[in-house]
Amino acid sequence: MTGPDPSSLIHDLLSGTAPFALIARDGTTVEVLTGDVVDVELLRDIPLTDATGTAREVLALVPFRQVRERGFVCHDDGAPLRCLVVDERVSLDRAETVASLPSSPIPLADAGFDIADEEYADIVRRVIADEIGRGEGANFVIRRDFVAGVDVDPRVAALTWFRALLEHEKGAYWTFAVVTEGHIAVGASPEAHVSAKAGIVTMNPISGTFRHPAGGATAETLAEFLRSTKETEELFMVVDEELKMMSAVCSDGGRITGPHLKVMSRLTHTEYMLRGRSDLDPRDILRETMFAPTVTGSPMQNACTVIARHETTPRGYYSGVAALFTPNGATEGPTHDLDAPILIRTAYLVDGRLRVPVGATLVRHSDPDGEVGETHGKAAGVLGAIGAIPRDVPAAPADADADPDAPVSERRPLAQDPAIAELLASRNDRLAPFWMNPQDPDGSGPFAGRTALVVDAEDRFTTMLAHQLRHLGLETRIVHWSEVTDADLDAADLVVSGPGPGDPRDDSPRMAAMRHVVGRRRAAGAPLLAVCLSHQILADSLGIDLRPLAQPHQGLQKSVDVFGEPASIGFYNTFTARVAPGDTRRGLTIGDGAVTTELVTDVAADTETGDVYALRGPGYASVQGHLESILSRDGMRTLERLIAHVL
């Protein structure tokens, strides 16, 4: 035992009224946190010090509505940013704690999903057709809630479910119970959204859901899952989205390692680890990384808008985080470490009603019935783990010579199967080496001494672009489309007009602003690089037709010819500029009649469809794909070539 008697402490928690939290993170202990609850409005208000300036440990439940701090929309339910300011921390032996917790089953009444299967399938179809199909983003997570009545003392329910999770749910990053007045949260989150310790920031994107079949997973069934195009692209897209966040908070942009398997009791996921260096306040790191694309979608701002359109009720704490800020004793730099798992696989109990929110990630390949099944699987994972529904019984291994009575823990983990390991490793053959290797821009690249301005059109791929530009030596800053001035545009050696969601033919203020960026630089003959959405806007200004694709290219890797050099590039576009197949040069005459100039634009386009992949002319170039994406194996080389042309 590593602390006081668990039986006595658990009894006090059950019989008392004070708030508390139980957290299991290391496999051997349970941390018990007690203190006072303070509700605050903003992340910067989280009270990391007391009135004397002494550092305090704080556990914060951060609701989804905090996305408003980044200017994003949501259904605002007023869920508080709830802070447990820790007065006392106790570590208990895990096994002894489990034995001291209540174990009688908690009956549920009137249980079921708040949205019927058929209705949820219809929502999936609408999101694929109306959102992904019209260029609003690459993927979106739409939730539904499993709800039921609970007629048991909330503290008893919380500790009973916490015990059940410790006993029956393996592979969780955090297993926790947070008990405050009027609100219970109990969960086993598989995913560390963001952590910061000793200047190292870590993110852990997890995506793809393999529901273990009856009788347990086998190498064959897992291999079929790993070969799924939909599941693979889903993971790559969320890694791209979290790299955007890493590039915003880390000086070195972030490096990816993996992929790995995240094996839970009833589900298996695939995951990567992202790491980088940062000296930001952990509250600022948390703000810049709200929230994980695995539970929202991408690009993040539009994902919030799509969620608000298709979810009819607020999310509460679902897809937010539980953020533990722990004093680290530092006298310089950040004074607290941060550990923040995503609030998923969590049961909430308020006013006698149990709520288990679950969501499916919708991509262009999604099957509505399959996504319905995924939500059932995720809900069953939580409900089975807490004992609310019957738990699956692991079957004997398929090997006829194996001991049918051998405990599951003694069988070789599937991740160690050579075929599974090879399938996982082969995924990285498709990815950009730039993001797999250490990188720390030192200003000595080929364009050192030049300045670049990146105009953000509401897709934070611009943070990854800016990091790559700095790696090439450019002194780079990012300005939002609504804030960029003509003076900004005129002062930079290079302007990168960035990507963004939506239809480039729209007359929205954002599209008008991006047309102005492209038009002003072209009129001045000043170096311009246009990416994705801005590439389409440039093409339109050159008289090239814009059309929607028959099938969106969201998270699609293509090998294309870019002015005589093959390049493997990641695409995230729903619209395309299109010329007649074989049209490789486009002339444009400008002037007032007295003095005219003919500009000739080189066109890199698909030889069969005429879809334009890149353009270059006097002082300008553009690319439809995202050279900064992890899917762009040849992204850095192509970016350097295009910048060399325009400069």
Side-chain angles (χ1 to χ4, degrees):
M1 187 172 72
T2 60
D5 175 42
S7 296
S8 176
L9 183 52
I10 296 303
H11 176 271
D12 291 343
L13 296 177
L14 282 169
S15 59
T17 59
F20 66 87
L22 304 179
I23 305 172
R25 294 188 285 175
D26 62 6
T28 62
T29 62
V30 173
E31 301 162 83
V32 183
L33 310 180
T34 55
D36 296 325
V37 167
V38 178
D39 291 343
V40 299
E41 181 63 22
L42 302 172
L43 288 169
R44 68 167 179 250
D45 299 329
I46 295 174
L48 298 187
T49 58
D50 62 17
T52 68
T54 302
R56 303 292 301 272
E57 185 170 37
V58 178
L59 174 64
L61 290 182
V62 183
F64 181 70
R65 68 187 290 263
Q66 296 306 129
V67 296
R68 296 171 305 118
E69 291 194 43
R70 293 183 57 187
F72 302 166
V73 302
C74 68
H75 294 301
D76 190 352
D77 55 357
L81 202 176
R82 178 150 291 181
C83 302
L84 176 65
V85 181
V86 179
D87 289 330
E88 186 176 7
R89 161 194 283 276
V90 175
S91 291
L92 303 178
D93 177 81
R94 178 168 173 153
E96 293 184 7
T97 302
V98 169
S100 302
L101 291 165
S103 60
S104 297
I106 306 296
L108 304 183
D110 302 322
F113 279 103
D114 62 337
I115 298 175
D117 288 355
E118 296 80 6
E119 183 181 351
Y120 187 79
D122 286 341
I123 293 172
V124 172
R125 294 185 186 94
R126 290 199 301 272
V127 170
I128 295 170
D130 299 342
E131 308 294 358
I132 298 173
R134 291 198 288 201
E136 296 303 321
N139 56 89
F140 301 108
V141 179
I142 304 299
R143 85 174 210 292
R144 63 199 298 220
D145 296 346
F146 186 93
V147 295
V150 176
D151 187 18
V152 173
D153 180 270
R155 289 177 173 247
V156 172
L159 294 185
T160 301
W161 293 336
F162 181 68
R163 173 176 179 157
L165 289 172
L166 291 177
E167 288 183 315
H168 299 287
E169 184 57 276
K170 65 180 181 180
Y173 178 67
W174 268 35
T175 303
F176 61 91
V178 182
V179 177
T180 62
E181 184 178 358
H183 189 272
I184 303 289
V186 185
S189 176
E191 190 166 351
H193 175 50
V194 64
S195 64
K197 186 173 183 179
I200 301 298
V201 175
T202 303
M203 298 187 75
N204 177 210
I206 296 176
S207 193
T209 300
F210 172 57
R211 185 179 183 182
H212 299 169
T218 64
E220 290 74 19
T221 56
L222 181 57
E224 182 180 359
F225 161 75
L226 292 176
R227 292 189 186 99
S228 165
T229 299
K230 184 260 186 187
E231 302 292 352
T232 302
E233 291 184 355
E234 183 178 309
L235 179 60
F236 289 160
M237 284 189 278
V238 298
V239 172
D240 258 340
E241 192 69 17
E242 294 205 1
L243 271 175
K244 299 175 188 179
M245 298 175 178
M246 291 290 288
S247 294
V249 301
C250 296
S251 60
D252 57 348
R255 176 190 180 194
I256 71 175
T257 58
H260 311 288
L261 291 181
K262 170 68 74 171
V263 182
M264 308 290 287
S265 296
R266 295 156 188 81
L267 306 170
T268 292
H269 308 282
T270 45
E271 66 177 357
Y272 278 92
M273 299 299 294
L274 316 181
R275 291 186 176 88
R277 292 192 296 275
S278 178
D279 59 2
L280 293 178
D281 183 299
R283 291 169 295 190
D284 293 331
I285 292 173
L286 194 55
R287 182 184 301 107
E288 289 299 315
T289 59
M290 290 194 304
F291 283 112
T294 51
V295 284
T296 53
S298 63
M300 181 66 200
Q301 182 166 353
N302 245 36
C304 290
T305 302
V306 169
I307 288 168
R309 276 201 287 263
H310 295 276
E311 292 184 1
T312 58
T313 59
R315 286 193 162 197
Y317 292 93
Y318 170 72
S319 71
V321 297
L324 183 63
F325 299 87
T326 303
N328 57 24
T331 56
E332 296 183 359
T335 59
H336 289 70
D337 294 333
L338 170 66
D339 188 9
I342 302 175
L343 287 171
I344 53 174
R345 313 296 160 80
T346 299
Y348 301 95
L349 182 59
V350 178
D351 296 332
R353 293 294 291 174
L354 170 70
R355 186 172 69 95
V356 179
V358 291
T361 301
L362 312 183
V363 298
R364 60 192 176 93
H365 293 300
S366 286
D367 168 64
D369 294 332
E371 302 301 352
V372 168
E374 181 166 326
T375 61
H376 277 275
K378 289 177 176 176
V382 177
L383 296 166
I386 66 175
I389 62 174
R391 300 185 180 99
D392 297 331
V393 179
D399 185 350
D401 297 325
D403 177 6
D405 297 321
V408 173
S409 60
E410 293 183 9
R411 302 169 193 155
R412 181 175 66 179
L414 287 176
Q416 295 179 11
D417 183 282
I420 297 300
E422 183 178 354
L423 273 173
L424 284 170
S426 67
R427 289 186 170 190
N428 289 346
D429 295 340
R430 299 176 56 187
L431 304 186
F434 180 82
W435 297 108
M436 307 290 290
N437 299 318
Q439 355 94 23
D440 193 1
D442 59 8
S444 63
F447 307 117
R450 308 286 189 98
T451 62
L453 177 75
V454 181
V455 182
D456 186 347
E458 296 183 3
D459 187 336
R460 295 185 88 196
F461 263 130
T462 49
T463 63
M464 295 168 68
L465 264 172
H467 178 65
Q468 290 187 322
L469 294 171
R470 294 182 187 112
H471 191 82
L472 293 173
L474 290 146
E475 182 182 335
T476 304
R477 68 188 182 100
I478 303 172
V479 178
H480 191 265
W481 66 267
S482 64
E483 299 174 352
V484 68
T485 67
D486 287 348
D488 292 327
L489 296 175
D490 296 342
D493 294 326
L494 170 69
V495 166
V496 178
S497 189
D503 187 336
R505 303 166 298 181
D506 284 351
D507 293 325
S508 67
R510 178 165 58 92
M511 295 303 175
M514 299 310 291
R515 291 188 192 101
H516 177 74
V517 170
V518 169
R520 186 174 183 86
R521 291 294 286 192
R522 278 197 57 219
L528 168 72
L529 175 64
V531 178
C532 197
L533 172 71
S534 295
H535 156 85
Q536 296 162 7
I537 289 171
L538 173 65
D540 182 62
S541 74
L542 294 168
I544 299 174
D545 289 341
L546 300 180
R547 299 181 185 180
L549 292 163
Q551 292 290 331
H553 291 170
Q554 296 290 350
L556 178 68
Q557 187 179 55
K558 293 170 65 75
S559 182
V560 301
D561 185 283
V562 181
F563 307 121
E565 188 171 306
S568 179
I569 295 173
F571 286 77
Y572 284 84
N573 63 302
T574 299
F575 294 86
T576 185
R578 185 170 291 165
V579 296
D583 184 356
T584 60
R585 293 176 70 80
R586 179 61 61 102
L588 181 67
T589 301
I590 61 172
D592 59 5
V595 178
T596 60
T597 303
E598 184 176 6
L599 304 179
V600 177
T601 301
D602 294 325
V603 179
D606 188 282
T607 55
E608 294 183 2
T609 65
D611 290 349
V612 178
Y613 299 135
L615 299 165
R616 67 180 181 186
Y620 59 85
S622 69
V623 61
Q624 177 61 78
H626 285 262
L627 305 180
E628 68 282 6
S629 167
I630 61 165
L631 291 171
S632 293
R633 281 206 321 262
D634 302 306
M636 279 297 289
R637 165 64 183 162
T638 307
L639 180 63
E640 184 175 347
R641 289 178 62 212
L642 295 179
I643 292 174
H645 167 77
V646 301
L647 288 177

